Amino acid sequence: MNNGNHHNGAATAGGVGPAGIAGAGDNQWLLRVRNLTKIYGEPGPRTLELTGPEFSSNICPDTDSIVACAEVSFDLYPGEVLGIVGESGSGKSTVVKLLYFDLGKTAGSALLYPYDQGQTNMLEASGQQKRRIRNHLMGMVYQNPRDGLNFHFSSGGNIAEKLIMAGQLHVGGIRERASQLLEKTEIPVRRLDDTPATFSGGMQQRVQIAKAIANNPPLLFLDEVTTGLDVSVQARVLDLIRELQQELGIAMIVVSHDLSVIRMLTDRTLVMKNGRIVESGLTDQILQDPQHAYTQLLVSSLL
Amino acid sequence: MIENTKFQHRYNFAFIDESTKKEIRRKLLKAVAIPGYQCPYSSPEMPIARGWGTGGLHVTLAIIGREDIFKIIDQGSDASVNACNLRDFVQAMTGCRTTFDTTEATLIQTRHRITEEALTAEQVFVFQVPQPEPLRSVERYEYRTRQMHGEADYAKMWVSLYESFVRHGDILLGAGYPVRINGRYIMAPSPIPRWDIPNLHQAETLYLFGAGREKRLYAVPPHTTVEPLEFEDVRFHIEDFNGQVCNQTGYRKAFLDEIYSDDGSKQFVVNDSNFLDKLRAGEPIAPFVNAYIQQIES
């Protein structure tokens, strides 16, 4: 697990929380993912060789197992916004769901610097540890608000869940923080005690964002956040995300099939196809000078 | 001729056969060893339907001895149908002496109340439990609630309390208020009123809980910490009778029943029937003392 190139041994032991990375040097990664692989079904010895973009397939011809994503490796730095783009079925959502522990990995490691100074593969932590990491160090915004919110609870209650999991047991304090977050996400505070079921799609998405950032996590996952929204609401949600990113300096992984969302939000981009990363680099570079044939197709179909 | 006495009795002592009793006792030992943990058990057939007090009966019959003096109450009353029939059954199956007197009894089975009179280290108190899973209201799948208990993941329970407070201005859980046992498991204290919850905390008596239909046993051993879930600024409190007194005895510091008359007026009366009898007869009483009851002016 200890990969040895941990070039900031003097960094303060910050425990968990964004303070944990404050003492780290400029080149200290926040998240280091290596060989992340998810295979459904029984893989054979040649499964990884026989699937991928060169075969235009992620189904193993030998065993019929499905390679959702394979050998995904990247580093994410504090405050950086990384995009993952690709067609549907390319494995981009699988990557964030693995990192948020919604799915179990088949192979690979993910080190999160504030968790044990990045010494331990968080994908192999116990259920209790994983929940702790999730509550203190990560936030997730799903495409469908019903995945991220409990529609039987009020919007305040949904935010409270995240705060309670981090140990806040003061109703007044919870309501104050929840109000702050709603204000920040441009939801009228008087809707605090209404259920998200009574909200519009854009508002539901903003409640999800408020919940995701409730504990000031250093890392936020955004999975197709604007896909179900109409264009004017999309723009407001994207503005909000950009503002929050600048204000709070949260590192983000943005998953989208929409290149304009990627262009607007991200610094760096991974392009995925058939479960593999086919191209990665600065977002501007990829959009202006795509190298891989698939990326070229993607960019040209946008223009 | 050697006489065979084996078949002279139609039933084994205390109805349940010895090997099943042994199984229930082993599960009770496990339940006592892990306070608040719901221990699965065999839940044998009884001559009453599961859900009608079989869990309590299993525990009672597994631990009762010939010298025990048995008392059973239903919602505080010795005289209700459930209590009378189960008392007759236990008496017929064991030949044990039965009593109404709380202080005299050595084994007390109950449905939905703890007695007003303080229990001692010499007594064992058995609850009939309809729903042993405190998380059932927030999570309907058993495999998920087991996982939540295993990982002490109780956020959903807390959010439901938060929601109750936000919607209604108070935590509206009259009976079965969730409690944390020994700083670990959240437990459903049978559906006893909030009034009785403080009497579980650091008690002298062994409390055993049996849920026959759900096939779970659990326990609060003597001197165990029992904390009702409460927020830092929204505290647990017991039922408030707004200064009402028992109309037969003038007593205030007991759980009161609300009784409506035909003309629509209502009166209050002490719920625990044996306690009421003693108050009326002027006999000496030794009620539970806790910080919540002490706050009530006498």
Side-chain angles (χ1 to χ4, degrees):
Chain A
M1 233 57 68
N2 188 349
N3 45 28
N5 53 2
H6 184 54
H7 49 173
N8 205 321
T12 48
V16 292
I21 53 171
D26 288 341
N27 293 322
Q28 179 57 55
W29 44 263
L30 173 70
L31 176 70
R32 168 161 281 184
V33 177
R34 288 293 177 267
N35 280 323
L36 192 60
T37 302
K38 174 73 183 174
I39 299 172
Y40 292 96
E42 224 23 71
R46 304 213 308 142
T47 295
L48 291 184
E49 285 170 45
L50 296 175
T51 55
E54 53 274 36
F55 300 92
S56 276
S57 166
N58 54 359
I59 301 172
C60 172
D62 288 350
T63 66
D64 283 348
S65 58
I66 296 167
V67 182
C69 71
E71 294 162 335
V72 172
S73 302
F74 61 88
D75 287 346
L76 181 72
Y77 291 86
E80 188 188 25
V81 184
L82 178 73
I84 303 180
V85 71
E87 61 194 1
S88 71
S90 61
K92 53 194 191 307
S93 287
T94 303
V95 171
V96 291
K97 282 180 181 154
L98 288 169
L99 293 175
Y100 196 63
F101 311 124
D102 280 346
L103 298 173
K105 59 140 176 123
T106 304
S109 70
L111 309 175
L112 188 64
Y113 188 74
Y115 172 60
D116 195 25
Q117 300 257 312
Q119 303 288 306
T120 310
N121 182 0
M122 65 174 184
L123 301 178
E124 278 163 10
S126 69
Q128 212 163 359
Q129 288 279 352
K130 280 180 178 170
R131 213 177 48 249
R132 194 175 161 72
I133 296 170
R134 228 165 120 136
N135 293 334
H136 289 82
L137 303 175
M138 295 176 181
M140 172 71 135
V141 184
Y142 295 91
Q143 174 177 353
N144 187 343
R146 282 182 190 270
D147 295 336
L149 300 175
N150 186 331
F151 276 42
H152 297 296
F153 293 150
S154 65
S155 53
N158 273 290
I159 297 170
E161 190 175 358
K162 201 87 174 166
L163 297 171
I164 287 166
M165 284 195 275
Q168 164 73 280
L169 288 179
H170 188 283
V171 171
I174 289 171
R175 291 180 69 72
E176 198 173 311
R177 176 76 181 137
S179 306
Q180 277 175 10
L181 287 161
L182 290 187
E183 219 162 283
K184 198 170 271 181
T185 50
E186 296 165 21
I187 294 167
V189 173
R190 62 193 156 78
R191 303 298 303 271
L192 182 65
D193 297 331
D194 295 340
T195 67
T198 63
F199 290 6
S200 71
M203 277 168 83
Q204 289 171 354
Q205 219 48 317
R206 280 177 279 148
V207 175
Q208 265 208 95
I209 294 171
K211 180 181 179 179
I213 62 170
N215 292 325
N216 284 322
L219 178 58
L220 188 63
F221 300 115
L222 303 166
D223 188 1
E224 302 272 15
V225 277
T226 57
T227 301
L229 306 175
D230 73 55
V231 184
S232 62
V233 180
Q234 269 188 27
R236 286 183 64 193
V237 171
L238 291 176
D239 275 346
L240 171 67
I241 293 168
R242 215 157 45 166
E243 271 169 38
L244 290 173
Q245 204 279 326
Q246 274 158 15
E247 190 183 332
L248 307 172
I250 308 176
M252 296 181 181
I253 296 183
V254 180
V255 169
S256 184
H257 67 273
D258 185 347
L259 279 177
S260 49
V261 170
I262 296 288
R263 177 161 55 192
M264 189 167 172
L265 291 179
T266 67
D267 309 320
R268 220 151 46 88
T269 299
L270 309 176
V271 183
M272 288 188 72
K273 187 170 190 297
N274 298 117
R276 310 298 206 283
I277 295 176
V278 293
E279 188 167 357
S280 64
L282 296 174
T283 303
D284 292 343
Q285 226 165 36
I286 283 187
L287 291 178
Q288 274 163 27
D289 183 20
Q291 300 295 310
H292 191 273
Y294 172 69
T295 319
Q296 288 166 357
L297 184 74
L298 211 62
V299 172
S300 65
S301 58
L302 174 75
L303 302 172
Chain B
M1 191 181 112
I2 301 170
E3 204 175 342
N4 186 343
T5 56
K6 189 177 175 186
F7 298 107
Q8 282 180 358
H9 300 282
R10 290 175 65 199
Y11 300 105
N12 186 31
F13 174 75
F15 188 75
I16 305 172
D17 63 276
E18 291 303 314
S19 49
T20 308
K21 276 189 203 166
K22 191 174 170 185
E23 199 271 341
I24 295 173
R25 289 178 196 144
R26 285 172 57 158
K27 295 298 160 64
L28 284 171
L29 285 176
K30 182 171 178 179
V32 168
I34 317 173
Y37 171 73
Q38 297 167 48
C39 191
Y41 78 111
S42 62
S43 188
E45 291 286 346
M46 282 280 126
I48 56 169
R50 290 198 177 92
W52 292 75
T54 45
L57 214 46
H58 288 147
V59 175
T60 294
L61 295 176
I63 63 174
I64 196 166
R66 290 182 201 281
E67 304 303 313
D68 270 315
I69 303 170
F70 182 62
K71 171 184 165 79
I72 180 164
I73 51 173
D74 173 7
Q75 315 249 19
S77 170
D78 293 283
S80 85
V81 175
N82 187 281
C84 289
N85 285 310
L86 295 188
R87 182 189 303 109
D88 287 351
F89 177 69
V90 171
Q91 210 276 330
M93 291 300 122
T94 62
C96 284
R97 199 151 72 79
T98 60
T99 183
F100 288 176
D101 186 349
T102 306
T103 49
E104 189 193 17
T106 58
L107 177 62
I108 303 175
Q109 183 174 328
T110 183
R111 175 169 176 264
H112 303 188
R113 262 323 295 279
I114 296 177
T115 55
E116 293 294 343
E117 279 200 277
L119 300 166
T120 66
E122 307 303 315
Q123 295 171 309
V124 176
F125 203 77
V126 178
F127 292 85
Q128 300 169 200
V129 181
Q131 177 49 267
E133 181 49 76
L135 302 175
R136 187 61 69 230
S137 59
V138 294
E139 177 55 63
R140 60 185 154 143
Y141 294 111
E142 177 68 17
Y143 79 98
R144 293 281 289 275
T145 52
R146 306 229 100 196
Q147 197 173 14
M148 287 159 81
H149 281 298
E151 297 179 0
D153 172 15
Y154 295 129
K156 270 192 176 170
M157 188 80 238
W158 283 100
V159 176
S160 78
L161 299 183
Y162 167 88
E163 286 287 301
S164 177
F165 175 75
V166 165
R167 282 188 199 168
H168 311 293
D170 195 6
I171 296 171
L172 295 185
L173 282 169
Y177 193 97
V179 291
R180 185 187 289 270
I181 307 296
N182 200 25
R184 178 60 177 83
Y185 286 100
I186 286 185
M187 184 192 92
S190 162
I192 55 174
R194 285 187 296 197
W195 182 279
D196 291 338
I197 300 251
N199 297 337
L200 292 170
H201 174 65
Q202 293 292 341
E204 294 292 324
T205 316
L206 171 62
Y207 292 113
L208 300 173
F209 298 77
R213 184 183 49 201
E214 311 282 335
K215 305 177 177 62
R216 295 286 184 274
L217 299 173
Y218 51 102
V220 178
H223 306 290
T224 302
T225 301
V226 178
E227 308 155 288
L229 298 189
E230 55 183 2
F231 291 98
E232 285 158 26
D233 53 342
V234 179
R235 310 301 289 193
F236 168 82
H237 57 88
I238 60 174
E239 282 83 357
D240 181 7
F241 295 102
N242 292 320
Q244 294 290 345
V245 299
C246 171
N247 76 330
Q248 297 192 22
T249 61
Y251 197 78
R252 285 172 192 273
K253 292 188 171 188
F255 189 77
L256 301 176
D257 274 340
E258 207 175 357
I259 295 170
Y260 284 83
S261 314
D262 287 343
D263 62 3
S265 66
K266 64 180 175 185
Q267 294 178 323
F268 289 83
V269 66
V270 168
N271 165 268
D272 183 328
S273 63
N274 179 241
F275 194 68
L276 180 64
D277 289 345
K278 284 186 177 177
L279 282 173
R280 278 203 292 213
E283 287 173 29
I285 47 164
F288 270 110
V289 179
N290 65 52
Y292 297 92
I293 295 177
Q294 274 173 337
Q295 283 170 6
I296 301 168
E297 290 163 24
S298 50

PDB file of all heavy atoms in Angstrom, chain B residues 147-167:
ATOM      1  N   GLN B 147     -27.105  -4.717   9.550  1.00  0.00           N
ATOM      2  CA  GLN B 147     -25.848  -4.055   9.183  1.00  0.00           C
ATOM      3  C   GLN B 147     -25.697  -2.734   9.949  1.00  0.00           C
ATOM      4  O   GLN B 147     -24.621  -2.410  10.449  1.00  0.00           O
ATOM      5  CB  GLN B 147     -25.858  -3.797   7.680  1.00  0.00           C
ATOM      6  CG  GLN B 147     -24.509  -3.504   7.092  1.00  0.00           C
ATOM      7  CD  GLN B 147     -24.587  -3.425   5.569  1.00  0.00           C
ATOM      8  OE1 GLN B 147     -25.669  -3.340   4.992  1.00  0.00           O
ATOM      9  NE2 GLN B 147     -23.452  -3.444   4.929  1.00  0.00           N
ATOM     10  N   MET B 148     -26.813  -1.988  10.036  1.00  0.00           N
ATOM     11  CA  MET B 148     -26.763  -0.706  10.744  1.00  0.00           C
ATOM     12  C   MET B 148     -26.398  -0.916  12.215  1.00  0.00           C
ATOM     13  O   MET B 148     -25.602  -0.164  12.772  1.00  0.00           O
ATOM     14  CB  MET B 148     -28.121   0.009  10.616  1.00  0.00           C
ATOM     15  CG  MET B 148     -28.368   0.586   9.220  1.00  0.00           C
ATOM     16  SD  MET B 148     -30.121   0.867   8.872  1.00  0.00           S
ATOM     17  CE  MET B 148     -30.394   2.436   9.683  1.00  0.00           C
ATOM     18  N   HIS B 149     -26.970  -1.947  12.849  1.00  0.00           N
ATOM     19  CA  HIS B 149     -26.608  -2.241  14.241  1.00  0.00           C
ATOM     20  C   HIS B 149     -25.140  -2.645  14.317  1.00  0.00           C
ATOM     21  O   HIS B 149     -24.416  -2.203  15.201  1.00  0.00           O
ATOM     22  CB  HIS B 149     -27.472  -3.367  14.794  1.00  0.00           C
ATOM     23  CG  HIS B 149     -28.838  -2.933  15.213  1.00  0.00           C
ATOM     24  ND1 HIS B 149     -29.045  -2.016  16.205  1.00  0.00           N
ATOM     25  CD2 HIS B 149     -30.068  -3.279  14.774  1.00  0.00           C
ATOM     26  CE1 HIS B 149     -30.346  -1.824  16.371  1.00  0.00           C
ATOM     27  NE2 HIS B 149     -30.993  -2.581  15.494  1.00  0.00           N
ATOM     28  N   GLY B 150     -24.721  -3.490  13.372  1.00  0.00           N
ATOM     29  CA  GLY B 150     -23.350  -3.979  13.386  1.00  0.00           C
ATOM     30  C   GLY B 150     -22.333  -2.855  13.307  1.00  0.00           C
ATOM     31  O   GLY B 150     -21.295  -2.892  13.953  1.00  0.00           O
ATOM     32  N   GLU B 151     -22.666  -1.829  12.520  1.00  0.00           N
ATOM     33  CA  GLU B 151     -21.727  -0.727  12.323  1.00  0.00           C
ATOM     34  C   GLU B 151     -22.089   0.498  13.163  1.00  0.00           C
ATOM     35  O   GLU B 151     -21.509   1.564  12.983  1.00  0.00           O
ATOM     36  CB  GLU B 151     -21.693  -0.350  10.833  1.00  0.00           C
ATOM     37  CG  GLU B 151     -21.186  -1.484   9.962  1.00  0.00           C
ATOM     38  CD  GLU B 151     -21.186  -1.124   8.486  1.00  0.00           C
ATOM     39  OE1 GLU B 151     -21.585  -0.002   8.146  1.00  0.00           O
ATOM     40  OE2 GLU B 151     -20.783  -1.975   7.682  1.00  0.00           O
ATOM     41  N   ALA B 152     -23.066   0.343  14.066  1.00  0.00           N
ATOM     42  CA  ALA B 152     -23.537   1.470  14.900  1.00  0.00           C
ATOM     43  C   ALA B 152     -23.891   2.677  14.030  1.00  0.00           C
ATOM     44  O   ALA B 152     -23.563   3.810  14.346  1.00  0.00           O
ATOM     45  CB  ALA B 152     -22.506   1.848  15.967  1.00  0.00           C
ATOM     46  N   ASP B 153     -24.565   2.412  12.924  1.00  0.00           N
ATOM     47  CA  ASP B 153     -24.929   3.466  11.978  1.00  0.00           C
ATOM     48  C   ASP B 153     -26.362   3.908  12.275  1.00  0.00           C
ATOM     49  O   ASP B 153     -27.313   3.367  11.728  1.00  0.00           O
ATOM     50  CB  ASP B 153     -24.815   2.892  10.557  1.00  0.00           C
ATOM     51  CG  ASP B 153     -25.349   3.842   9.506  1.00  0.00           C
ATOM     52  OD1 ASP B 153     -25.538   5.029   9.817  1.00  0.00           O
ATOM     53  OD2 ASP B 153     -25.572   3.394   8.373  1.00  0.00           O
ATOM     54  N   TYR B 154     -26.499   4.876  13.167  1.00  0.00           N
ATOM     55  CA  TYR B 154     -27.829   5.229  13.646  1.00  0.00           C
ATOM     56  C   TYR B 154     -28.303   6.601  13.168  1.00  0.00           C
ATOM     57  O   TYR B 154     -29.243   7.159  13.722  1.00  0.00           O
ATOM     58  CB  TYR B 154     -27.858   5.151  15.176  1.00  0.00           C
ATOM     59  CG  TYR B 154     -27.657   3.742  15.704  1.00  0.00           C
ATOM     60  CD1 TYR B 154     -26.711   3.456  16.674  1.00  0.00           C
ATOM     61  CD2 TYR B 154     -28.436   2.699  15.224  1.00  0.00           C
ATOM     62  CE1 TYR B 154     -26.542   2.170  17.154  1.00  0.00           C
ATOM     63  CE2 TYR B 154     -28.274   1.405  15.689  1.00  0.00           C
ATOM     64  CZ  TYR B 154     -27.325   1.148  16.652  1.00  0.00           C
ATOM     65  OH  TYR B 154     -27.163  -0.124  17.124  1.00  0.00           O
ATOM     66  N   ALA B 155     -27.649   7.147  12.133  1.00  0.00           N
ATOM     67  CA  ALA B 155     -28.001   8.501  11.683  1.00  0.00           C
ATOM     68  C   ALA B 155     -29.472   8.602  11.281  1.00  0.00           C
ATOM     69  O   ALA B 155     -30.140   9.588  11.594  1.00  0.00           O
ATOM     70  CB  ALA B 155     -27.104   8.913  10.525  1.00  0.00           C
ATOM     71  N   LYS B 156     -29.995   7.582  10.611  1.00  0.00           N
ATOM     72  CA  LYS B 156     -31.388   7.645  10.153  1.00  0.00           C
ATOM     73  C   LYS B 156     -32.351   7.763  11.330  1.00  0.00           C
ATOM     74  O   LYS B 156     -33.355   8.465  11.252  1.00  0.00           O
ATOM     75  CB  LYS B 156     -31.728   6.393   9.343  1.00  0.00           C
ATOM     76  CG  LYS B 156     -31.459   6.531   7.871  1.00  0.00           C
ATOM     77  CD  LYS B 156     -32.093   5.374   7.133  1.00  0.00           C
ATOM     78  CE  LYS B 156     -31.926   5.530   5.634  1.00  0.00           C
ATOM     79  NZ  LYS B 156     -32.323   4.299   4.942  1.00  0.00           N
ATOM     80  N   MET B 157     -32.057   7.035  12.394  1.00  0.00           N
ATOM     81  CA  MET B 157     -32.888   7.124  13.600  1.00  0.00           C
ATOM     82  C   MET B 157     -32.882   8.551  14.139  1.00  0.00           C
ATOM     83  O   MET B 157     -33.929   9.120  14.450  1.00  0.00           O
ATOM     84  CB  MET B 157     -32.300   6.170  14.637  1.00  0.00           C
ATOM     85  CG  MET B 157     -33.130   5.990  15.866  1.00  0.00           C
ATOM     86  SD  MET B 157     -34.464   4.825  15.577  1.00  0.00           S
ATOM     87  CE  MET B 157     -35.851   5.849  15.980  1.00  0.00           C
ATOM     88  N   TRP B 158     -31.691   9.127  14.187  1.00  0.00           N
ATOM     89  CA  TRP B 158     -31.569  10.496  14.690  1.00  0.00           C
ATOM     90  C   TRP B 158     -32.318  11.469  13.796  1.00  0.00           C
ATOM     91  O   TRP B 158     -32.972  12.399  14.278  1.00  0.00           O
ATOM     92  CB  TRP B 158     -30.091  10.903  14.774  1.00  0.00           C
ATOM     93  CG  TRP B 158     -29.374  10.329  15.949  1.00  0.00           C
ATOM     94  CD1 TRP B 158     -28.546   9.245  15.939  1.00  0.00           C
ATOM     95  CD2 TRP B 158     -29.418  10.780  17.302  1.00  0.00           C
ATOM     96  NE1 TRP B 158     -28.074   9.011  17.216  1.00  0.00           N
ATOM     97  CE2 TRP B 158     -28.589   9.926  18.068  1.00  0.00           C
ATOM     98  CE3 TRP B 158     -30.079  11.836  17.945  1.00  0.00           C
ATOM     99  CZ2 TRP B 158     -28.399  10.101  19.437  1.00  0.00           C
ATOM    100  CZ3 TRP B 158     -29.894  11.994  19.312  1.00  0.00           C
ATOM    101  CH2 TRP B 158     -29.062  11.135  20.044  1.00  0.00           C
ATOM    102  N   VAL B 159     -32.211  11.258  12.460  1.00  0.00           N
ATOM    103  CA  VAL B 159     -32.907  12.184  11.553  1.00  0.00           C
ATOM    104  C   VAL B 159     -34.411  12.081  11.768  1.00  0.00           C
ATOM    105  O   VAL B 159     -35.114  13.091  11.743  1.00  0.00           O
ATOM    106  CB  VAL B 159     -32.539  11.903  10.080  1.00  0.00           C
ATOM    107  CG1 VAL B 159     -33.343  12.792   9.160  1.00  0.00           C
ATOM    108  CG2 VAL B 159     -31.062  12.126   9.853  1.00  0.00           C
ATOM    109  N   SER B 160     -34.914  10.853  12.038  1.00  0.00           N
ATOM    110  CA  SER B 160     -36.357  10.739  12.245  1.00  0.00           C
ATOM    111  C   SER B 160     -36.771  11.484  13.516  1.00  0.00           C
ATOM    112  O   SER B 160     -37.856  12.062  13.567  1.00  0.00           O
ATOM    113  CB  SER B 160     -36.786   9.269  12.282  1.00  0.00           C
ATOM    114  OG  SER B 160     -36.474   8.700  13.519  1.00  0.00           O
ATOM    115  N   LEU B 161     -35.904  11.502  14.538  1.00  0.00           N
ATOM    116  CA  LEU B 161     -36.212  12.292  15.736  1.00  0.00           C
ATOM    117  C   LEU B 161     -36.174  13.783  15.415  1.00  0.00           C
ATOM    118  O   LEU B 161     -37.029  14.551  15.858  1.00  0.00           O
ATOM    119  CB  LEU B 161     -35.216  11.989  16.865  1.00  0.00           C
ATOM    120  CG  LEU B 161     -35.166  10.547  17.384  1.00  0.00           C
ATOM    121  CD1 LEU B 161     -34.178  10.432  18.542  1.00  0.00           C
ATOM    122  CD2 LEU B 161     -36.529  10.076  17.829  1.00  0.00           C
ATOM    123  N   TYR B 162     -35.168  14.180  14.611  1.00  0.00           N
ATOM    124  CA  TYR B 162     -35.077  15.586  14.187  1.00  0.00           C
ATOM    125  C   TYR B 162     -36.340  15.992  13.444  1.00  0.00           C
ATOM    126  O   TYR B 162     -36.937  17.035  13.704  1.00  0.00           O
ATOM    127  CB  TYR B 162     -33.837  15.774  13.307  1.00  0.00           C
ATOM    128  CG  TYR B 162     -33.801  17.094  12.560  1.00  0.00           C
ATOM    129  CD1 TYR B 162     -33.239  18.231  13.135  1.00  0.00           C
ATOM    130  CD2 TYR B 162     -34.347  17.205  11.284  1.00  0.00           C
ATOM    131  CE1 TYR B 162     -33.228  19.438  12.459  1.00  0.00           C
ATOM    132  CE2 TYR B 162     -34.339  18.403  10.604  1.00  0.00           C
ATOM    133  CZ  TYR B 162     -33.775  19.519  11.194  1.00  0.00           C
ATOM    134  OH  TYR B 162     -33.785  20.711  10.513  1.00  0.00           O
ATOM    135  N   GLU B 163     -36.755  15.117  12.508  1.00  0.00           N
ATOM    136  CA  GLU B 163     -37.946  15.412  11.703  1.00  0.00           C
ATOM    137  C   GLU B 163     -39.184  15.554  12.591  1.00  0.00           C
ATOM    138  O   GLU B 163     -39.997  16.445  12.394  1.00  0.00           O
ATOM    139  CB  GLU B 163     -38.183  14.292  10.691  1.00  0.00           C
ATOM    140  CG  GLU B 163     -37.210  14.307   9.544  1.00  0.00           C
ATOM    141  CD  GLU B 163     -37.488  15.461   8.578  1.00  0.00           C
ATOM    142  OE1 GLU B 163     -38.590  15.522   8.031  1.00  0.00           O
ATOM    143  OE2 GLU B 163     -36.582  16.293   8.399  1.00  0.00           O
ATOM    144  N   SER B 164     -39.308  14.656  13.565  1.00  0.00           N
ATOM    145  CA  SER B 164     -40.448  14.712  14.464  1.00  0.00           C
ATOM    146  C   SER B 164     -40.458  16.041  15.219  1.00  0.00           C
ATOM    147  O   SER B 164     -41.495  16.687  15.355  1.00  0.00           O
ATOM    148  CB  SER B 164     -40.385  13.538  15.437  1.00  0.00           C
ATOM    149  OG  SER B 164     -41.428  13.604  16.364  1.00  0.00           O
ATOM    150  N   PHE B 165     -39.285  16.459  15.664  1.00  0.00           N
ATOM    151  CA  PHE B 165     -39.218  17.721  16.394  1.00  0.00           C
ATOM    152  C   PHE B 165     -39.572  18.895  15.489  1.00  0.00           C
ATOM    153  O   PHE B 165     -40.315  19.796  15.875  1.00  0.00           O
ATOM    154  CB  PHE B 165     -37.817  17.924  16.992  1.00  0.00           C
ATOM    155  CG  PHE B 165     -37.656  19.260  17.654  1.00  0.00           C
ATOM    156  CD1 PHE B 165     -38.232  19.503  18.881  1.00  0.00           C
ATOM    157  CD2 PHE B 165     -36.974  20.289  17.016  1.00  0.00           C
ATOM    158  CE1 PHE B 165     -38.125  20.743  19.488  1.00  0.00           C
ATOM    159  CE2 PHE B 165     -36.860  21.531  17.612  1.00  0.00           C
ATOM    160  CZ  PHE B 165     -37.437  21.761  18.857  1.00  0.00           C
ATOM    161  N   VAL B 166     -39.043  18.872  14.257  1.00  0.00           N
ATOM    162  CA  VAL B 166     -39.274  19.997  13.343  1.00  0.00           C
ATOM    163  C   VAL B 166     -40.745  20.087  12.958  1.00  0.00           C
ATOM    164  O   VAL B 166     -41.331  21.166  12.889  1.00  0.00           O
ATOM    165  CB  VAL B 166     -38.390  19.832  12.090  1.00  0.00           C
ATOM    166  CG1 VAL B 166     -38.851  20.738  10.978  1.00  0.00           C
ATOM    167  CG2 VAL B 166     -36.940  20.103  12.441  1.00  0.00           C
ATOM    168  N   ARG B 167     -41.371  18.935  12.719  1.00  0.00           N
ATOM    169  CA  ARG B 167     -42.761  18.961  12.264  1.00  0.00           C
ATOM    170  C   ARG B 167     -43.744  19.238  13.387  1.00  0.00           C
ATOM    171  O   ARG B 167     -44.763  19.874  13.180  1.00  0.00           O
ATOM    172  CB  ARG B 167     -43.117  17.613  11.632  1.00  0.00           C
ATOM    173  CG  ARG B 167     -42.560  17.498  10.246  1.00  0.00           C
ATOM    174  CD  ARG B 167     -43.069  16.269   9.543  1.00  0.00           C
ATOM    175  NE  ARG B 167     -42.178  15.962   8.422  1.00  0.00           N
ATOM    176  CZ  ARG B 167     -42.203  14.840   7.754  1.00  0.00           C
ATOM    177  NH1 ARG B 167     -43.081  13.914   8.080  1.00  0.00           N
ATOM    178  NH2 ARG B 167     -41.379  14.622   6.759  1.00  0.00           N
TER     179      ARG B 167
END
